[in-house]
Amino acid sequence: MLTRKCFTASTISLTVEFNGTNHVLLQDYGVFPKHQKFLKFTVQGPKDLHLKLLSSKSSVRKPIYYIVIAGWNNKKSVLGRSEILAHDVVNFYKKPGLFDINHEKKFWISWENGKVLVGTGNILNKDIIMRWKEPCPFAVQNIEISTMHEASLNLKLLLDGEYTNCIMCSFDN
């Protein structure tokens, strides 16, 4: 279960654990970027960060972009066009060890004009690990964050710029 603590900040910490229903919709907590087309974050944990870039504000409906970072026991990452990744993978990255249980690792995603990029570090458009140019782009309205396969992840969203609300939130179990 997630609890909400609100404050004004440029970093939001959250823990996501797999229990079948535990996911976070960023807009529900006032942290979805209004004008920016990217999200920077850190992850500490063993594996399986799932990010869904949604075309709807409140539910998972097609079209979506589905990003898995450090899936398959921290060995592979994929970018797909639906939740059924076996059918709609458009890019993948096979490098073990992207996540670390003992240290935070930096990542970013961007989605401007149908160009979806995933990278490491905290500099946009640098150290790109996956990319996709969508032939029929859609506006990303929300981002869902979750995990799978008994993983527990600590994330920090690195916020800079204007967001949906001026109140930022932290989540604790």
Side-chain angles (χ1 to χ4, degrees):
M1 180 173 185
L2 298 174
T3 56
R4 179 178 166 181
K5 295 179 185 175
C6 293
F7 57 94
T8 302
S10 60
T11 301
I12 296 174
S13 299
L14 60 108
T15 299
V16 180
E17 294 183 331
F18 177 71
N19 66 12
T21 60
N22 195 6
H23 63 273
V24 174
L25 287 169
L26 294 187
Q27 195 171 68
D28 289 351
Y29 298 94
V31 296
F32 185 75
K34 252 185 166 177
H35 302 290
Q36 295 176 336
K37 305 293 184 198
F38 67 89
L39 181 67
K40 295 179 184 180
F41 54 95
T42 66
V43 181
Q44 183 175 343
K47 60 183 178 178
D48 280 305
L49 175 62
H50 293 239
L51 301 157
K52 296 176 188 169
L53 282 60
L54 307 176
S55 59
S56 166
K57 291 182 179 181
S58 60
S59 66
V60 178
R61 289 188 293 210
K62 284 188 174 184
I64 69 168
Y65 302 118
Y66 194 179
I67 300 165
V68 178
I69 302 174
W72 294 267
N73 286 316
N74 200 14
K75 294 180 181 157
K76 180 177 164 183
S77 302
V78 297
L79 170 58
R81 288 279 289 118
S82 78
E83 291 186 274
I84 305 170
L85 290 173
H87 301 279
D88 291 318
V89 170
V90 295
N91 202 301
F92 67 93
Y93 180 74
K94 278 185 136 177
K95 181 178 180 186
L98 277 178
F99 285 4
D100 189 315
I101 294 172
N102 300 310
H103 299 95
E104 292 180 348
K105 297 288 188 116
K106 296 177 182 177
F107 295 89
W108 56 268
I109 58 173
S110 66
W111 55 89
E112 188 156 14
N113 298 322
K115 185 177 177 184
V116 181
L117 302 172
V118 180
T120 61
N122 62 358
I123 300 172
L124 289 175
N125 300 315
K126 187 173 182 198
D127 299 320
I128 297 168
I129 62 172
M130 293 184 291
R131 68 179 73 223
W132 169 248
K133 178 65 175 153
E134 174 63 41
C136 298
F138 62 88
V140 173
Q141 300 293 317
N142 206 346
I143 298 175
E144 179 185 290
I145 299 175
S146 63
T147 188
M148 295 284 287
H149 308 293
E150 308 304 320
S152 177
L153 302 173
N154 295 314
L155 284 86
K156 287 184 183 170
L157 307 180
L158 309 173
L159 308 175
D160 49 351
E162 188 177 337
Y163 287 79
T164 304
N165 297 325
C166 55
I167 300 279
M168 301 301 172
C169 304
S170 170
F171 308 90
D172 296 316
N173 280 337

